[in-house]
């Protein structure tokens, strides 16, 4: 541990030579034996409580709807986004920009759809291949002398 690093819980250790015996619960009234840390009477003082029991309140599995409705959320397409200013940083000389080039430069992960957004400016001519483009990205790439092709 360095001098200025903050102290964290996982850094704590017992002092060298320190040793504390385990508490023996439920072994007679001379120790912690009478109620063994369970308090006095009541359901929890006796045997185990049923999983999901909420003290008489209607349990979570009964409060939630039993049947699910239909949702299109399962079928939505989630794109990885790349902005134009990022493309300008990664490809300052211009030229072809394919998905493999973007993966190699670390801009996107492989095997996932990519969308190019029009945030920022671009000054070099790029021929960009991606799954989707925003309207502003198409305009700015064309204005810089490049082209777009959707996969």
């Amino acid at each position: 541990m360095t001098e200025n690093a903050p102290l964290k819980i996982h850094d704590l250790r017992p002092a060298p030579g320190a040793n504390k015996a385990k508490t023996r619960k439920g072994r007679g009234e001379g120790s912690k034996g009478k109620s063994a840390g369970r308090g006095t009477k009541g359901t929890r003082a006796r045997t185990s409580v049923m999983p999901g029991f909420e003290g008489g309140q209607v349990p979570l599995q009964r409060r939630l709807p039993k049947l699910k409705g239909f949702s299109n959320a399962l079928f939505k397409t989630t794109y990885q986004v790349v902005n134009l200013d990022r493309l300008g940083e990664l490809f300052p000389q211009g030229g072809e920009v394919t998905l493999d080039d973007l993966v190699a430069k670390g801009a996107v992960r492989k095997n996932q759809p990519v969308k190019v957004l029009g945030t920022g400016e671009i000054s070099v001519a790029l021929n960009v291949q991606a799954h989707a483009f925003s309207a502003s990205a198409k305009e700015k790439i064309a204005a810089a002398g490049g082209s777009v092709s959707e996969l």
Side-chain angles (χ1 to χ4, degrees):
M1 214 166 84
T2 60
E3 281 291 316
N4 298 332
L7 186 65
K8 302 244 171 101
I9 290 287
H10 62 264
D11 295 327
L12 296 177
R13 296 283 178 269
N19 190 6
K20 186 170 182 177
K22 189 181 102 171
T23 305
R24 296 177 70 239
K25 291 183 176 178
R27 297 295 183 273
E29 293 191 12
S31 60
K32 293 199 169 175
K34 190 173 81 62
S35 50
R38 287 172 167 264
T40 310
K41 298 185 182 176
T43 306
R44 287 182 163 156
R46 297 184 169 98
T47 57
S48 62
V49 181
M50 181 178 69
F53 183 69
E54 298 186 20
Q57 174 175 306
V58 177
L60 181 67
Q61 72 268 22
R62 285 182 53 204
R63 292 198 302 266
L64 296 177
K66 183 176 178 182
L67 301 175
K68 277 75 177 169
F70 179 79
S71 172
N72 275 325
L74 298 171
F75 306 105
K76 79 175 181 181
T77 305
T78 305
Y79 290 100
Q80 296 185 86
V81 296
V82 180
N83 287 312
L84 282 184
D85 51 3
R86 182 90 171 114
L87 287 178
E89 291 171 14
L90 295 174
F91 302 94
Q93 73 287 352
E96 286 286 322
V97 179
T98 64
L99 290 182
D100 295 332
D101 297 334
L102 291 172
V103 170
K105 300 236 180 180
V108 294
R109 286 184 222 91
K110 63 181 177 179
N111 301 328
Q112 292 184 11
V114 176
K115 183 170 184 175
V116 178
L117 301 181
T119 304
E121 297 299 322
I122 192 162
S123 56
V124 293
L126 294 174
N127 300 325
V128 187
Q129 295 178 9
H131 295 96
F133 294 87
S134 68
S136 62
K138 285 182 181 178
E139 289 174 12
K140 290 180 182 180
I141 291 172
S147 65
V148 298
S149 60
E150 294 190 20
L151 300 175

